[in-house]
Amino acid sequence: MVHFVGAGCGAADLITVRGARLLSEADVVIYAGSLVNPELLKGTKEGCEIHDSARMTLPEVLGVMERAEAEKKTIVRLHTGDPSLYGAIREQMDRLEEMGIAYDVCPGVSSFNGAAASLGAELTLPEVSQTVIITRMAGRTAVPERESFRSLAAHHSTMAVFLSAGLLEEMEEELKEAGYRPDTPAAIVYKATWPEEKAVRCTVSTLKETAEREGIRKTAMILIGNVLGTREENGYADSRLYAPDFTTGFRKGTDA
Ligand code: SAH
């Protein structure tokens, strides 16, 4: 059995309770060493076989899984953040299915969640944005044309941009073309929730210079949108849910 486990985005105690239990019970762990906090490996049992997938190909990863399964071992495939985002898990799951190997997935705290927490930001504010666009700039991995960065940015919804810290000049250009005011708030969060985290606020026109000044080149989450502004700037409304006059299934409001 293979358990795909989300390691969380950095701090070792951000793995879920379930993920930590699966890790502690595993006979074999294959972890994404480029981004998973190695401290998590301290939670494995004695004699656990550990592989760093940063140095492995897909066939090699599958080879380890196939052999370990034949030995009736429990395998954890530890991915950074939440495995469902840019995790390359689908290709593994499909191959496991072909091989008749059972698997399941344990979710994790994604880096966009970690970055929002570090900034103390709410990504969805009433009357500002009720949508989070999770995307990336096209790089070595292509992005389908119909979801080009510019066309998504045109919504002016909150954006959480992965895998794009090296493309900030292009990103600024796309945001400008999508009609953003140059002073629209943005933030760069480098290694969110790691000890070396850097969370810097900037604007959509100062992304590149901010990253350069801070020496940030990779492992960064770019958050964009008016939700990052002050209340004076974005004029967000309080929620209806907690408004005294609002009746819900759990509470009678003064409007009842
Ligand atoms: N599944 C992961 C994403 C993997 S793709 C998740 O849910 O977070 C790798 C990209 O995620 C990086 O290029 C970066 O944009 C982002 N990332 C991963 N960990 C990060 C962290 N601790 N802080 C900021 N960004 C991070």
Side-chain angles (χ1 to χ4, degrees), residues 137 149-150 153 170-179:
M137 295 277 290
F149 192 86
R150 188 177 304 187
E170 294 85 341
M171 196 186 297
E172 283 181 22
E173 185 59 28
E174 295 296 294
L175 291 164
K176 194 167 128 193
E177 291 297 326

Side-chain angles (χ1 to χ4, degrees), residues 9 35 80-82 85-86 110-111 162-163 189 191-192 194 219-221:
C9 59
L35 280 174
T80 181
D82 180 73
L85 296 171
Y86 309 105
S110 176
S111 53
F162 288 70
L163 294 159
V189 185
K191 293 203 99 174
W194 288 77
T219 324
M221 174 59 48

